[in-house]
Amino acid sequence: AVGDPVVCSIIAGCGACFQCVRGASALCEDVVFYTGRMLDGTTRLSKGVEPIHSLSYQASFAEQAIVPERCAVRVSKQAPLEKLAGLACGVSTGLGAALVRSPVEPGSTVVVIGAGGVGLSALMGGRLRGAASLIAVDVVPHKLEKACELGLAEHGIDAGRTDVVEAVLELTGGRGADHAFDTVGTPESIAQSLAAVRPGGSVVVIGLSGASVEASIPVQHLMRQKTLTGTMGGSIEPRRHIPEFVDLHLAGRLDLGVLMDSEYRLEDIERAFLDLAEGRITRGGIRF
Ligand SMILES: [Zn+2]
């Protein structure tokens, strides 16, 4: 309704297809994520006769936007909106991976490859689920330091200097981790993830380094009953999970603010992108 605070999710879902009625909106048969069009196949913006496309139904960097109704998720009026922006995409993706796609069990050991915004969110999900040990992996040392400083990881592994699989095995007494979440999605990181989990463990690929990436895996990992799967947007049902994440934040159990570590005006957007590209910020928000 008019005046409702909303988070605009990248996951639309028609609500009526085979996948949607089974609670898998992220796999909706009628939605194509990257066309830049609305659900009816058209665009709402144009410049002269030329249509203007908007990424993932959002067109984020605008003072006004038209989005599909199912993408606009109403949240609590008490919620601080500037801390929730990440729930539209990256934060929900990381949280959903650890809470929805492959729920982390209390007491387990979790490895997250890539300690950017999505990876930190997966670590937050693991922490929330009661993981006993969280291991962050990255090639940028200050990202590992940040993960540990925020209390989102007990251990940081510098993949540029250390053999990731050996390090994880050492930290787990030779057994391997229970879960791995790979936000990098290269053939190497997928192979590392699969080798770093214990027999019976689970690997979820969250990120894709390129649309046509192929990975080759030793089939013996499958005979050891390891699971290799992936997730689209954290596999969340936006209208169920986003309000839950907000309620957890309001209850003091999920600090969504720690990832949103900077704020910009719209006219400073170029600087925001530069800060992100050069690793000075985790996630920036634009205040309108
Ligand atoms: Zn659908």
Side-chain angles (χ1 to χ4, degrees), residues 13-17 20 28-30:
C14 70
C17 75
C20 284
C28 175
E29 293 174 338
D30 292 329

Side-chain angles (χ1 to χ4, degrees), residues 53-64:
H53 298 96
S54 49
L55 181 68
S56 301
Y57 315 108
Q58 294 179 326
S60 305
F61 307 127
E63 284 151 332
Q64 297 181 42

Side-chain angles (χ1 to χ4, degrees), residues 11 52 188 194 278:
I11 294 179
I52 294 178
E188 296 76 26
L194 206 51
E278 294 180 355

Side-chain angles (χ1 to χ4, degrees), residues 111-246:
V111 177
V112 174
I113 299 194
V118 175
L120 291 174
S121 303
L123 289 165
M124 284 170 69
R127 179 65 83 217
L128 186 67
R129 292 277 305 179
S133 178
L134 295 163
I135 303 167
V137 179
D138 208 291
V139 291
V140 182
H142 78 80
K143 289 190 179 179
L144 297 172
E145 284 160 25
K146 171 140 193 178
C148 293
E149 267 168 32
L150 291 173
L152 296 177
E154 276 75 35
H155 307 282
I157 297 174
D158 182 344
R161 303 167 61 101
T162 313
D163 184 307
V164 173
V165 177
E166 268 179 28
V168 172
L169 290 175
E170 198 179 310
L171 287 168
T172 55
R175 178 183 294 145
D178 300 292
H179 291 266
F181 297 97
D182 178 7
T183 72
V184 177
T186 60
E188 296 76 26
S189 65
I190 292 169
Q192 281 172 344
S193 299
L194 206 51
V197 296
R198 63 167 168 79
S202 150
V203 175
V204 177
V205 178
I206 309 180
L208 198 57
S209 56
S212 57
V213 169
E214 291 189 14
S216 169
I217 56 158
V219 175
Q220 57 164 322
H221 286 312
L222 305 182
M223 305 316 288
R224 301 291 282 158
Q225 297 181 206
K226 299 183 183 185
T227 301
L228 173 61
T229 185
T231 180
M232 179 75 206
S235 310
I236 62 163
E237 287 301 309
R239 290 191 289 183
R240 171 187 166 185
H241 292 110
I242 288 177
E244 285 181 7
F245 297 154
V246 172

